[in-house]
Amino acid sequence: MNARHRTHGFSSRLFAEQALSRSAGAPLIGGNAVELLIDAQAHFDAWLKAIANAKRHVFLENYIIRDDRIGQAFRDALVERAKAGVFVAVIGDWGGCLGQSRSSFWAALREAGGQVRIYNPPQLGSSFGWISRDHRKVLVVDGEVGFLSGVCLSEKWLGDPANDVPPWRDTGVALRGPAVAEIEQAFADSWREVGEPLPDDPRLSPVAGATHAGEVSLRVIATQPSTAGMYRLDQMVAAMATKTLWLTDAYFVGVAPYVQALSAATRDGVDVRLLVPGTSDIPMVAGMSRSGYRPLLKAGIRVFEWNGTMLHAKTAVADGRWARVGSSNLNIASWLSNREIDVAIEDVGFATQLEAQYEKDLENATEILLHPRRRRSGNERVRSRAPHPPRPRHGGGSSSRAAAGALRIANTVGAAISQHRVLGDTETGPLLAGFIAAAVLTLVAILWPAVIAWPLALIGAWFTVNLSVSWWTLRRKRVAKAATEAPHED
């Protein structure tokens, strides 16, 4: 009987491993050591130390590389290594770096022998190609240590201590072992995507004997546009969790299939929690996220809002044995459009660490609850268990704004006393914004049609040029192929 149960348990584990590997498109790799990194300062210290110790090569791939104190520190560290003969390769994203740093920012590194490429700038022949972004945050040094994270190279992640603005909350990992080679392969794939492949250089050859580093098994999930490997894995984990599933996400926009998967887990008794920002650097996304609270709460999923400056981490931990950390958000852009990279770790020790950090984070978070409206049967309102931190407000002199400010102060004082605060209906904000935008657009179209016509003409011209270039490129390829395949007379 016991032997039968052991056989069944072994078969179940193999089945689960096969299902996760197929869903993610990534095999389970053993023999790794993993270190959890919390917040930007820990990341920057570890990253700069690794770069300073580089002997052979440095691969850096990041969504935002900003021309500020942090960006300059990394550039200067890379310049120093390049001058010392280390092979340095950097990939920045065009959209992420737009307005953050210019080509001249990298002049010193290029002069020192380093190479810099920018992912997916707008180009003719690709009308919607600019939508795809390289959202990865990766650093690999000498094939021996690799880093994955949600942290970008920007001073913004450190907050503003002089003005009592705390650092952004973010999470990443440092890896050693066989998985580092997978991260390097992911970087090499991104490098090929924006130009010639990495050269045949002895500084890039694998390190002999650099294999076993620990006892942790994990998967490196490096997704590309339209592959959806991370989405399939997130769905699979939601389906397989039996006790707990705790999620942290910076830009959660729940799509119906994933919300249904989380709801089904809750119905089966799984403790599903979602921690999201209370204030966001992208207010529009925060509004979209809040508009989806109600179905989550009605399904029994617990939703928390972070009370700090910005919660930028992207993590998941399930059943105290499975964890995910990386760059992927729980939204369509990350799942289907961007280049992302995450690590899915199957280790009780690491999962326990991440659970402890999650519980610590909840100490600085506000839980959102459903609260029945009085005198309105069947309807619910969303409320929080504690007041939110003060949010930036725009000044104004109107009496209506003053009255609204007084009302907010009264609500905050009441919340501080009762530890509960009723929030407005989450759906009305986006609807009102949409109504106002549509009304303004209609009015402008009636009174000043040229204001609408010129942008439409420019959009039409953009598509006309791109489609013609695409047609001409495809035609040339077909003509060249036909000429190559045509029979030749001797």
Side-chain angles (χ1 to χ4, degrees):
M1 187 71 173
N2 290 337
R4 185 187 307 167
H5 284 173
R6 285 196 297 270
T7 302
H8 176 72
F10 182 71
S11 300
S12 298
R13 286 195 300 273
L14 286 178
F15 181 79
E17 180 179 333
Q18 184 182 64
L20 291 172
S21 295
R22 289 181 179 178
S23 298
L28 187 66
I29 304 170
N32 303 283
V34 183
E35 178 186 357
L36 184 63
L37 298 176
I38 300 299
D39 293 344
Q41 190 62 61
H43 284 77
F44 296 155
D45 291 344
W47 291 354
L48 287 170
K49 181 179 179 181
I51 292 172
N53 292 329
K55 301 294 190 296
R56 302 166 65 246
H57 64 263
V58 176
F59 297 155
L60 174 64
E61 183 176 4
N62 207 293
Y63 178 62
I64 297 174
I65 305 173
R66 190 176 184 185
D67 186 1
D68 60 12
R69 177 172 63 88
I70 296 301
Q72 292 165 13
F74 275 87
R75 180 202 57 198
D76 294 345
L78 294 171
V79 168
E80 190 276 330
R81 287 291 81 199
K83 288 181 177 179
V86 174
F87 183 95
V88 175
V90 177
I91 302 175
D93 182 77
W94 179 84
C97 294
L98 184 64
Q100 307 293 323
S101 56
R102 298 181 179 180
S103 179
S104 58
F105 174 77
W106 296 109
L109 180 58
R110 290 189 170 106
E111 291 173 2
Q115 299 184 43
V116 181
R117 293 181 179 178
I118 302 301
Y119 177 80
N120 203 21
Q123 54 186 330
L124 294 177
S126 181
S127 301
F128 293 102
W130 58 270
I131 294 176
S132 173
R133 306 274 36 110
D134 187 344
H135 196 244
R136 298 176 180 179
K137 292 89 178 177
V138 169
L139 173 66
V140 187
V141 175
D142 290 344
E144 297 178 350
V145 59
F147 300 89
L148 304 179
S149 181
V151 175
C152 294
L153 300 186
S154 169
E155 197 173 5
K156 182 167 58 175
W157 262 253
L158 296 176
D160 186 359
N163 294 310
D164 294 325
V165 178
W168 286 21
R169 174 69 189 83
D170 220 327
T171 303
V173 293
L175 303 175
R176 293 182 182 274
V180 176
E182 294 294 314
I183 304 174
E184 287 202 329
Q185 286 298 318
F187 178 89
D189 181 72
S190 294
W191 192 256
R192 276 194 306 271
E193 186 69 18
V194 289
E196 293 295 320
L198 289 170
D200 185 10
D201 190 306
R203 294 173 294 178
L204 306 182
S205 59
V207 179
T211 53
H212 190 89
E215 304 301 327
V216 177
S217 297
L218 55 85
R219 292 178 174 83
V220 176
I221 304 109
T223 56
Q224 305 167 14
S226 304
T227 56
M230 198 65 247
Y231 174 72
R232 293 195 301 270
L233 184 66
D234 283 333
Q235 284 274 28
M236 184 65 65
V237 170
M240 296 177 67
T242 60
K243 297 178 182 178
T244 59
L245 177 56
W246 296 351
L247 308 167
T248 301
D249 201 72
Y251 308 107
F252 175 82
V253 180
V255 296
Y258 188 62
V259 172
Q260 290 167 4
L262 297 179
S263 301
T266 304
R267 287 195 300 271
D268 285 345
V270 179
D271 175 14
V272 181
R273 306 182 187 185
L274 174 64
L275 175 60
V276 294
T279 56
S280 177
D281 62 325
I282 308 179
M284 181 180 69
V285 176
M288 295 172 65
S289 182
R290 288 195 180 97
S291 69
Y293 283 177
R294 194 172 307 281
L296 298 173
L297 296 171
K298 293 179 75 171
I301 297 163
R302 299 179 68 184
V303 179
F304 300 83
E305 286 189 348
W306 173 254
N307 291 332
T309 306
M310 173 60 188
L311 176 76
H312 197 259
K314 308 97 166 50
T315 68
V317 57
D319 291 346
R321 66 178 305 272
W322 183 93
R324 173 176 67 83
V325 178
S327 66
S328 294
N329 291 296
L330 300 174
N331 59 40
I332 289 295
S334 280
W335 280 328
L336 296 179
S337 177
N338 296 340
R339 299 181 77 85
E340 307 276 4
I341 189 163
D342 300 78
V343 59
I345 300 169
E346 298 187 13
D347 180 76
V348 173
F350 183 84
T352 301
Q353 270 189 285
L354 203 58
E355 280 188 335
Q357 181 63 46
Y358 197 93
E359 291 177 333
K360 182 179 179 180
D361 289 341
L362 291 187
E363 295 175 2
N364 189 40
T366 295
E367 184 169 10
I368 310 300
L369 303 174
L370 282 174
H371 180 59
R373 286 194 183 116
R374 295 180 180 179
R375 303 177 185 174
R376 293 190 185 183
S377 60
N379 293 322
E380 291 135 342
R381 299 185 72 186
V382 181
R383 71 178 183 181
S384 61
R385 293 180 57 183
H388 283 290
R391 286 178 166 81
R393 298 181 186 133
H394 298 288
S398 70
S399 59
S400 61
R401 288 183 181 178
L407 180 60
R408 283 195 296 268
I409 293 173
N411 286 339
T412 301
V413 172
I417 296 173
S418 65
Q419 293 298 302
H420 294 85
R421 182 166 67 86
V422 177
L423 302 179
D425 290 334
T426 55
E427 293 88 347
T428 56
L431 289 175
L432 179 61
F435 160 73
I436 293 174
V440 170
L441 187 63
T442 301
L443 185 63
V444 170
I446 293 173
L447 298 179
W448 303 285
V451 174
I452 303 297
W454 276 110
L456 290 177
L458 291 174
I459 293 172
W462 169 259
F463 280 105
T464 299
V465 172
N466 276 280
L467 291 173
S468 63
V469 170
S470 298
W471 170 82
W472 178 250
T473 302
L474 182 60
R475 183 177 181 277
R476 289 183 60 186
K477 288 182 179 179
R478 287 182 175 176
V479 170
K481 184 179 179 181
T484 303
E485 294 177 351
H488 298 281
E489 295 182 2
D490 294 333

